[in-house]
Amino acid sequence: MSLAEAKVLFLRDIRLLSQETQRWHKENLTAFEKVLAKQGIEISDVGSLTAKMVKENFVFYMSEEMGLMANTINGRVRSVRALLKFLHGEGHIAKNFGADIPMIKGEEVIIETFSEEQIDALLRQPNRHTFTGLRDYTLMLLLLETGIRISECVKIDLTDVHLKEGQIRIHGKGAKQRLVPFQGKFRRALQRYLEVRGPAESEALFVTVDGTRISKRYVQELIQDYGEMAHIRDVRVSPHTFRHTMAKYYILAGGDIFSLQKILGHSTLDMVRRYVELFSTDVQMQHRKFSFLENHM
């Protein structure tokens, strides 16, 4: 089996994962083929792949000859590791040597978060006397309260919301679902929004004035606009910054990494451990309940 054929089989095997994940793996594995091809290497039999070849002709070549960033290289390595695991599981290669393929150590990426003053400024921008303003205010509260991804936020339906239980069913990556909790202050804000929203035809929780589901890009743009209105310049104003901010205050309040992992929907503990490294120094100063809304609004 050639490398090109192996890639096709692997991509077929992961077709139940999100489209973004499938596209990411496809791009990385196509890059794997191209990097080898630049050196005149064509893999007609995946059984000929070795850890040394992948390290020398892929990882080190991208770093030393092509000068690619560590994040780009490591993303591609993750996809190659996933491919090797699949090929070994299917009996196409004798050994899964993915663990022997190294990652490149790069500069630590700074995780930006909002300060309390910046959060207050952002939440003051929507005009809550209008439907869209109340919707945007509630949406930002949801991101801050739960730390969910924006792609997950726009997928929420009315049937996913359980006000009495204080939970929302989230449709995450890889068709995985999880229940994310919320507290009393957000419950009251959400209830108010639902009353104003009324019986729109769409099943979506967050809708436009026409009653249609809002898009991921639409939310990204409106949050950027509110950032401009709030004159926030030193932090990237994006839905993902809300996610990092929620994690920060959760850790500062003494929340444990296992429950945070569940809430955020991370498949591993790597990212939440990173949050702990960055934000746990002041845990004793704020050892209270995790919710930012409960403590600061």
Side-chain angles (χ1 to χ4, degrees):
M1 178 184 294
S2 69
L3 179 57
E5 292 169 330
K7 183 181 75 172
V8 171
L9 278 183
F10 171 73
L11 293 174
R12 189 179 301 160
D13 186 67
I14 64 169
R15 62 187 181 275
L16 292 182
L17 299 182
S18 71
Q19 290 187 347
E20 290 181 4
T21 300
Q22 293 179 61
R23 189 181 308 115
W24 183 73
H25 280 303
K26 183 177 182 180
E27 290 174 355
N28 288 336
L29 294 177
T30 299
F32 182 35
E33 291 179 284
K34 288 182 176 179
V35 170
L36 294 180
K38 281 172 69 76
Q39 302 163 77
I41 301 172
E42 182 179 347
I43 306 298
S44 58
D45 178 8
V46 291
S48 66
L49 285 169
T50 65
K52 182 179 179 181
M53 177 193 294
V54 177
K55 284 191 288 187
E56 295 290 339
N57 299 105
F58 184 56
V59 181
F60 297 155
Y61 186 86
M62 287 189 293
S63 177
E64 297 167 5
E65 300 296 329
M66 299 175 66
L68 298 183
M69 298 290 289
N71 285 345
T72 300
I73 296 172
N74 292 338
R76 293 177 178 180
V77 168
R78 289 187 179 94
S79 290
V80 171
R81 285 178 172 178
L83 173 66
L84 293 170
K85 181 180 179 181
F86 165 75
L87 292 175
H88 180 254
E90 294 294 309
H92 297 297
I93 58 175
K95 178 185 176 183
N96 175 14
F97 54 84
D100 298 327
I101 302 174
M103 294 284 192
I104 298 296
K105 187 171 178 60
E107 294 182 4
E108 292 287 354
V109 177
I110 296 174
I111 295 179
E112 295 183 320
T113 61
F114 296 124
S115 67
E116 294 181 29
E117 293 76 17
Q118 289 169 332
I119 292 171
D120 289 340
L122 279 170
L123 294 178
R124 283 197 301 269
Q125 302 315 310
N127 179 0
R128 284 182 266 169
H129 296 295
T130 66
F131 166 73
T132 55
L134 181 62
R135 178 203 63 198
D136 298 347
Y137 174 77
T138 308
L139 189 151
M140 286 194 287
L141 290 186
L142 173 63
L143 296 177
L144 186 61
E145 177 79 341
T146 64
I148 61 174
R149 303 175 179 92
I150 188 59
S151 58
E152 297 170 338
C153 178
V154 298
K155 290 178 185 175
I156 298 174
D157 289 334
L158 291 173
T159 53
D160 294 321
V161 178
H162 305 287
L163 276 175
K164 185 177 179 181
E165 294 82 1
Q167 293 179 325
I168 296 179
R169 182 170 60 244
I170 301 299
H171 303 271
K173 290 184 175 182
K176 294 179 181 177
Q177 296 184 6
R178 67 187 188 278
L179 289 174
V180 172
F182 57 83
Q183 307 306 317
K185 289 186 178 179
F186 177 70
R187 179 191 286 112
R188 291 189 287 275
L190 181 57
Q191 192 160 17
R192 171 60 180 155
Y193 165 70
L194 289 172
E195 291 170 356
V196 173
R197 177 196 180 281
E201 291 186 8
S202 172
E203 297 179 352
L205 172 61
F206 294 112
V207 294
T208 67
V209 290
D210 297 324
T212 59
R213 186 185 299 271
I214 61 174
S215 69
K216 177 179 173 180
R217 184 61 189 160
Y218 181 85
V219 176
Q220 289 170 330
E221 290 176 351
L222 73 84
I223 287 180
Q224 288 174 1
D225 290 343
Y226 286 133
E228 290 291 328
M229 293 165 62
H231 304 292
I232 298 175
R233 298 284 184 266
D234 56 340
V235 176
R236 180 173 176 241
V237 182
S238 72
H240 217 69
T241 306
F242 278 90
R243 182 169 167 84
H244 293 322
T245 300
M246 179 272 176
K248 172 183 176 178
Y249 284 102
Y250 191 100
I251 294 298
L252 287 178
D256 69 278
I257 62 174
F258 300 104
S259 57
L260 180 58
Q261 179 193 13
K262 278 189 174 182
I263 292 170
L264 295 179
H266 285 301
S267 57
T268 70
L269 285 170
D270 292 347
M271 191 62 203
V272 288
R273 285 197 179 105
R274 177 83 175 113
Y275 287 136
V276 172
E277 290 173 7
L278 288 173
F279 307 131
S280 63
T281 54
D282 298 323
V283 165
Q284 295 305 319
M285 295 171 58
Q286 299 192 48
H287 193 58
R288 291 177 290 179
K289 200 172 182 180
F290 84 89
S291 170
F292 177 85
L293 300 183
E294 287 295 298
N295 292 319
H296 301 284
M297 294 195 64

